[in-house]
């Protein structure tokens, strides 16, 4: 590692022009972390539960699209089917995407209603273990069915890269995937902001975040709203999974990776803060890239752990978090 | 003692000796008059489950041999054991095979970490093992990545990581004017099993490894690695990576206009990598990978293997696409060598006769691999050579024997 730092300092002139690329790539991957963190934050805002099985639901979102895509394509051939009718207006990939988000919404709703709600007032450890157990179960099923091979998600558009910046003859590139990731996350952040701060639904969720018992006393159907929020959170996570699936091959174990990044982004941004989750994701994305090139590629994997340790030690509420009782 | 008593005593001793020796022969674990019990262990679950086609390839060949009548009237009774590619589970699976299932031998085991963990037990029990794990420390001896004689009962009928890595190094060094090489590798035994011999070879040829950088499993981006490589201005990159990460590296190399050949190790399926990169420009004339077989997968020369795999594996054991991948043929390759040992050992089968028979494999043509199989008492790694897959500028798959030299 020391040799690498010395090498960087010696070749500073050669290394400096790659910095814009590191920042751009960091932002692009950070947007993905941000989306995962955003979905975990939404879940946390309503129920004050950190879903430690969330990464596997993100992974399931990607597999759901992979599984649904051939069904959609097949049904398109059957013109009289409902899917065939829908697909005549929107591309098949989009149909499969909408269906997979719906499937994950239903899964989130059911998971909360069947597995989380009955033990919600129990020890925090039970909730964490239940979430982990559900994640493992989901991963096990997917691995059993699809673990024998590395699969590729169907792509709705070809991979392309664009030079967005040039410094001294060294280009800074972004792929179409990365541009779309950034656009989707920005839209999702705006939608989340509007829903959670400008609508009655958001007010109810905020009330539940502050006190579920109090919300119940004023007539809010807490269980129903919790179910809905779990559905929305899982659905948003699935969107992250689909984006991840486009960038990578499908892998049943991607959930662990996803959870750690999302959790680190959420910790850095502050538990419960929507824009904190996004800023946290971006910072971690950029840090991974910069430390990876300028110190050692080993830092790419450990940056999220370092962030979690440092934030919890120095500023436990994160950059934009509020003091609140944390139910893990 | 009269003559009759002497005769009876002699006869009794003779019967006792015969009984004991007969019992000993009959008691060779895992062998009956009609069967040979084989333990086939591998990652049937866990994050390395993508390597279990190696197990199924061997299973298919043994089912095929059974269908042909077996070996000297004995049919293979294959017991599958899950290691999940985790050392603790691997040790448990191996012990179950040895002590509960009482198998004659253990085979396949794609994971190097598991192979190293179970090696002491196998050596202690004198359990024959034929595996496909890469780590040269498993069966290597002087000249094949080890430092001493090979373990008596353990062998590879395929190349180990030492020879695979060495051929990666040889291949890139046949590219004219190659002076500077970069390595991108996982930080595990498997990857170092490939890359370290490659580095030794490259340096022995006067070239320099200017960068040896890590890429962890599960990495979703190789920006840092590729930008590091770019600043070094290398002539070639060796990627000791599993398939998902190799795909990530190739995509990043194309995105950042690296324009340098990338040589992959055997932890990936060439065809699937090309498909998953999904961009001809990122692989044509750029990506090369070790190729174990005498011709292309899907070629007429290997059609017999495909037919065996399709006929003797169930739908669940085959890929979702139904078309066997490189790892299935790798398993077949191992199975053929293992079965040949039984053919050579004859009817009076013991562990010692089996190992002696395996050690008679000399320049053996198994009709599948690029290199022929030779195993001796001093050398328990059967194959030391392989070809390389690549794509020409039009995207056609080409098998190379060295840089720019196509096999056909």
């Amino acid at each position: 590692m020391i040799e690498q730092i010395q090498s960087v300092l010696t070749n500073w002139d050669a290394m400096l022009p790659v910095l814009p690329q590191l920042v751009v790539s960091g932002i692009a991957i950070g947007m993905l972390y941000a989306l995962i963190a955003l979905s975990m934050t939404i879940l946390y805002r309503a129920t004050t539960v950190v879903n430690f099985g969330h990464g596997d639901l993100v992974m399931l979102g990607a597999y759901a699209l992979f599984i649904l895509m051939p069904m959609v394509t097949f049904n398109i051939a059957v013109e009289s089917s409902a899917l065939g009718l829908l697909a005549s207006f929107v591309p098949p990939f989009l149909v499969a995407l909408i269906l997979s988000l719906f499937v994950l919404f239903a899964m989130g709703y059911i998971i909360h209603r069947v597995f989380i709600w009955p033990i919600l007032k129990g020890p925090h450890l039970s909730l964490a273990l239940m979430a982990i157990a559900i994640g493992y179960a989901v991963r096990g099923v997917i691995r059993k069915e699809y673990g024998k091979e590395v699969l590729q998600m169907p792509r709705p558009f070809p991979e392309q890269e664009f030079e967005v910046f040039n410094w001294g003859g060294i280009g800074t590139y972004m792929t179409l995937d990365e541009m779309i990731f950034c656009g989707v996350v920005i839209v999702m952040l705006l939608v989340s902001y509007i829903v959670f701060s400008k609508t009655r639904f958001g007010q109810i969720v905020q009330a539940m975040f502050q006190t579920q018992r109090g919300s119940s006393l004023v007539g809010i159907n807490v269980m129903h709203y919790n179910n809905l929020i779990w559905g929305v959170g899982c659905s948003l996570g699935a969107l992250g999974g689909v984006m991840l699936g486009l960038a990578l091959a499908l892998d049943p174990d991607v959930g662990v990776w996803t959870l750690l990044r999302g959790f680190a982004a959420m910790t850095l941004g502050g538990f419960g803060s929507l824009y904190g989750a996004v800023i946290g994701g971006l910072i971690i994305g950029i840090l991974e890239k910069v430390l990876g090139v300028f110190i050692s590629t080993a830092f790419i994997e450990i940056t999220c752990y370092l962030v979690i340790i440092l934030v919890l030690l120095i500023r436990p509420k994160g950059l934009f978090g509020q003091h609140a009782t944390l139910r893990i | 003692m009269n003559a009759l008593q002497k005769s009876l005593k002699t006869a009794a001793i003779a019967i006792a000796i015969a009984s004991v020796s007969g019992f000993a022969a009959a008691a060779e674990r895992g062998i009956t008059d009609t069967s040979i019990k084989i333990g086939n262990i591998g990652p049937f679950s866990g994050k390395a489950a993508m390597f279990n086609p190696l197990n199924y390839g061997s299973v298919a060949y043994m089912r095929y041999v059974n269908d042909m009548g077996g070996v000297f009237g004995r049919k293979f009774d294959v017991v599958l054991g899950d290691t999940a590619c985790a050392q603790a589970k691997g040790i448990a699976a191996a012990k179950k095979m040895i002590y509960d299932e009482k198998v004659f031998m253990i085979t396949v085991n794609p994971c190097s970490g598991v192979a190293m963990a179970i090696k002491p037990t196998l050596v202690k029990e004198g359990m024959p093992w034929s595996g496909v794990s890469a780590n040269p420390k498993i069966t290597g001896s002087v000249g094949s990545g080890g430092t001493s004689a090979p373990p008596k009962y353990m062998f590879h009928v395929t190349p180990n990581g030492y020879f695979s890595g060495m051929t990666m190094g040889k291949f890139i060094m046949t590219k004219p004017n190659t002076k500077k090489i970069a390595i991108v590798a996982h930080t595990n035994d498997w990857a170092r099993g490939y890359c370290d011999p490659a580095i030794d070879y490259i340096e022995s040829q006067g070239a320099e490894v200017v960068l040896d950088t890590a890429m962890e499993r599960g990495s979703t981006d190789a920006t840092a690695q590729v930008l590091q490589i770019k600043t070094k201005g290398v002539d070639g990159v060796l990627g000791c990576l599993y398939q998902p990460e190799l795909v990530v590296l190739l995509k990043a190399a194309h995105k950042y206009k690296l324009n340098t050949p990338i040589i992959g190790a055997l932890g990936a399926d060439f065809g699937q990598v090309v498909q998953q990169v999904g961009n001809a420009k990122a692989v044509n004339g750029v990506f090369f990978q070790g190729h174990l077989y005498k011709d292309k997968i899907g070629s007429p020369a290997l059609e017999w293997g495909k037919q065996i795999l399709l006929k003797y594996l169930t739908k669940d054991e085959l890929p979702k696409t139904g078309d066997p991948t490189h790892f299935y043929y790798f398993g077949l390759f191992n199975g053929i060598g293992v079965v040949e040992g039984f053919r050579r050992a004859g009817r009076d089968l013991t562990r010692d006769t089996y190992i002696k028979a395996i050690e008679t494999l000399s320049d053996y043509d198994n009709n599948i691999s690029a290199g022929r199989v030779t195993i001796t008492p001093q050398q328990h790694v059967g194959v030391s050579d392989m070809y390389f897959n690549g794509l020409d500028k039009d995207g056609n798959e080409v098998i190379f024997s060295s840089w720019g030299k196509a096999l056909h």
Side-chain angles (χ1 to χ4, degrees):
Chain A
M1 191 168 87
I2 292 167
E3 282 173 13
Q4 174 65 18
I5 295 170
Q6 283 172 341
S7 163
V8 167
L9 291 174
T10 315
N11 301 306
W12 182 248
D13 288 345
M15 298 297 284
L16 199 58
V18 304
L19 200 56
Q21 181 65 69
L22 296 177
V23 174
V24 168
S25 295
I27 289 172
I29 194 82
M31 282 290 187
L32 198 55
Y33 303 163
L35 186 60
I36 310 293
L38 192 64
S39 61
M40 289 174 74
T41 300
I42 286 172
L43 245 161
Y44 171 76
R45 273 177 81 102
T47 59
T48 66
V49 173
V50 177
N51 180 11
F52 286 105
H54 197 70
D56 294 299
L57 296 168
V58 169
M59 173 273 293
L60 187 62
Y63 275 93
L65 187 134
F66 178 82
I67 295 162
L68 287 165
M69 189 71 187
M71 295 183 194
V72 171
T73 313
F74 173 77
N75 275 282
I76 286 169
V78 185
E79 287 175 7
S80 58
S81 72
L83 280 177
L85 194 64
L86 185 60
S88 60
F89 297 105
V90 283
F93 183 89
L94 210 52
V95 177
L97 174 65
I98 293 164
L99 286 175
S100 59
L101 297 187
F102 182 76
V103 167
L104 264 290
F105 174 88
M107 276 207 68
Y109 191 100
I110 293 166
I111 286 171
H112 181 267
R113 177 64 191 89
V114 176
F115 300 105
I116 303 294
W117 178 257
I119 61 166
L120 198 60
K121 293 182 177 65
H124 298 169
L125 191 61
S126 306
L127 289 167
L129 288 177
M130 178 62 88
I132 292 168
I134 292 167
Y136 266 85
V138 167
R139 198 185 317 168
V141 170
I142 291 295
R143 201 185 268 150
K144 171 83 180 63
E145 277 303 303
Y146 298 96
K148 266 207 298 291
E149 54 202 308
V150 181
L151 299 166
Q152 185 68 28
M153 184 180 281
R155 294 189 62 82
F157 45 81
E159 286 194 75
Q160 294 175 61
E161 62 282 328
F162 303 93
E163 190 177 274
V164 291
F165 184 74
N166 195 301
W167 183 7
I170 296 183
T172 295
Y173 299 91
M174 262 188 114
T175 61
L176 186 56
D177 287 3
E178 290 171 341
M179 290 176 178
I180 291 173
F181 293 171
C182 293
V184 167
V185 176
I186 290 166
V187 169
M188 284 299 136
L189 181 65
L190 287 174
V191 170
S192 302
Y193 172 75
I194 292 165
V195 168
F196 286 100
S197 61
K198 306 286 181 195
T199 65
R200 180 168 163 71
F201 179 80
Q203 287 173 339
I204 289 171
V205 170
Q206 185 60 31
M208 283 163 47
F209 178 57
Q210 288 174 358
T211 163
Q212 297 224 340
R213 196 172 188 178
S215 306
S216 189
L217 284 171
V218 296
I220 294 171
N221 186 343
V222 173
M223 184 188 77
H224 173 65
Y225 278 98
N226 274 357
N227 293 344
L228 282 179
I229 284 292
W230 267 71
V232 171
C234 289
S235 209
L236 209 51
L239 186 60
V242 170
M243 284 162 46
L244 199 60
L246 286 176
L248 304 168
L250 290 174
D251 174 9
D253 289 287
V254 80
V256 179
W257 176 93
T258 317
L259 176 73
L260 281 170
R261 263 62 174 193
F263 188 70
M266 198 177 163
T267 310
L268 179 59
F271 283 97
S273 167
L274 294 174
Y275 51 87
V278 175
I279 303 280
L282 294 178
I283 292 174
I284 290 170
I286 295 169
L287 267 179
E288 278 183 356
K289 297 286 170 281
V290 173
L291 295 178
V293 167
F294 288 93
I295 299 181
S296 163
T297 47
F299 270 84
I300 297 170
E301 290 309 302
I302 61 172
T303 299
C304 60
Y305 298 101
L306 292 177
V307 165
I308 292 171
I309 292 168
L310 290 174
V311 172
L312 291 180
L313 276 177
I314 298 166
R315 192 179 164 86
K317 67 174 185 174
L319 295 175
F320 306 100
Q322 300 162 353
H323 284 294
T325 306
L326 170 62
R327 184 188 288 270
I328 60 166
Chain B
M1 191 180 284
N2 61 29
L4 179 63
Q5 281 176 316
K6 275 187 180 173
S7 300
L8 285 173
K9 192 176 177 184
T10 308
I13 291 167
I15 289 166
I17 291 169
S19 305
V20 169
S21 59
F23 177 77
E28 184 69 64
R29 278 188 298 189
I31 301 290
T32 69
D33 284 345
T34 56
S35 70
I36 303 168
K37 202 167 192 180
I38 304 284
N40 180 319
I41 63 172
F44 292 99
S45 68
K47 62 183 177 182
M50 62 170 282
F51 295 112
N52 69 38
L54 285 154
N55 295 83
Y56 289 125
S58 276
V59 168
Y61 191 71
M62 289 185 179
R63 287 177 186 162
Y64 159 74
V65 172
N66 286 349
D67 216 14
M68 298 292 114
V71 179
F72 296 109
R74 292 187 177 110
K75 294 195 175 183
F76 292 104
D77 173 12
V78 181
V79 185
L80 299 182
D82 184 17
T83 66
C85 225
Q87 296 183 10
K89 276 193 91 170
I91 290 170
K95 286 187 172 174
K96 182 172 182 286
M97 291 296 168
I98 297 168
Y99 304 118
D100 294 347
E101 298 289 349
K102 295 184 169 49
V103 298
F104 176 80
M105 76 178 291
I106 290 177
T107 189
V108 188
N109 186 42
C111 307
S112 289
V114 169
M116 288 306 293
I118 66 175
K119 185 177 172 179
T121 308
L122 300 176
V123 169
K124 182 181 142 219
E125 295 295 331
M127 170 64 56
W129 179 95
S130 167
V132 295
S133 337
N135 194 322
K137 293 175 200 154
I138 301 163
T139 59
S141 53
V142 176
S144 57
T147 53
S148 57
K152 185 178 174 188
Y153 292 98
M154 297 176 75
F155 59 92
H156 275 83
V157 289
T158 57
N160 64 356
Y162 175 80
F163 287 122
S164 304
M166 185 79 91
T167 47
M168 287 167 74
K170 282 181 182 173
F171 181 71
I172 193 65
M173 289 310 296
T174 56
K175 181 177 170 252
N177 302 319
T178 297
K179 300 287 178 206
K180 292 199 282 185
I181 300 291
I183 305 280
V184 185
H186 293 311
T187 50
N188 62 15
D189 259 9
W190 172 85
R192 295 323 308 182
Y194 280 87
C195 273
D196 290 345
I199 292 170
D200 289 344
Y201 181 81
I202 288 162
E203 291 179 344
S204 75
Q205 299 301 302
E208 191 187 356
V209 174
V210 292
L211 179 71
D212 187 350
T213 191
M215 185 169 172
E216 299 298 343
R217 288 215 66 193
S219 295
T220 54
D221 184 60
T223 298
Q225 288 84 355
V226 170
L227 293 182
Q228 280 186 338
I229 294 167
K230 266 193 102 166
T231 60
K232 300 283 182 185
V234 301
D235 304 307
V237 179
L238 303 189
C240 299
L241 303 168
Y242 295 128
Q243 188 167 315
E245 293 79 16
L246 186 58
V247 170
V248 170
L249 178 69
L250 286 163
K251 282 184 176 183
H254 176 69
K255 177 181 168 187
Y256 300 122
K257 320 287 183 210
L258 187 60
N259 297 325
T260 303
I262 296 177
I263 320 297
L266 291 178
D269 182 282
F270 179 79
Q272 285 189 352
V273 169
V274 169
Q275 186 195 351
Q276 286 164 7
V277 170
N279 185 344
K281 287 179 192 164
V283 286
N284 291 1
V286 174
F287 171 50
F288 301 88
Q289 190 184 15
H291 184 73
L292 287 168
Y293 317 105
K294 63 183 199 176
D295 210 333
K296 288 180 224 174
I297 286 175
S299 67
L302 296 181
E303 181 60 24
W304 64 271
K306 183 176 179 180
Q307 291 310 317
I308 286 176
L309 292 167
L310 292 178
K311 182 172 178 186
Y312 292 100
L313 292 178
T314 65
K315 195 180 165 196
D316 284 346
E317 292 164 346
L318 284 165
K320 293 280 173 205
T321 58
D323 211 9
T325 56
H326 145 70
F327 291 131
Y328 285 89
Y329 289 86
F330 199 166
L332 206 56
F333 181 176
N334 174 69
I336 293 167
V338 169
V339 170
E340 182 60 21
F342 287 106
R343 288 201 178 105
R344 291 179 181 222
R347 176 75 192 165
D348 298 326
L349 184 62
T350 66
R351 292 176 185 186
D352 285 325
T353 59
Y354 180 75
I355 293 299
K356 279 182 185 153
I358 279 287
E359 287 173 347
T360 65
L361 288 173
S362 174
D363 209 21
Y364 167 62
D365 181 4
N366 57 15
N367 199 26
I368 189 167
S369 61
R372 294 190 174 201
V373 187
T374 298
I375 296 180
T376 68
Q378 293 76 36
Q379 187 56 267
H380 274 197
V381 182
V383 179
S384 61
D385 214 358
M386 63 181 179
Y387 298 134
F388 280 80
N389 269 115
L391 298 167
D392 63 18
K393 286 193 166 53
D394 300 322
N396 301 309
E397 187 181 346
V398 180
I399 307 290
F400 294 97
S401 55
S402 61
W403 184 265
K405 192 175 170 190
L407 195 62
H408 299 299

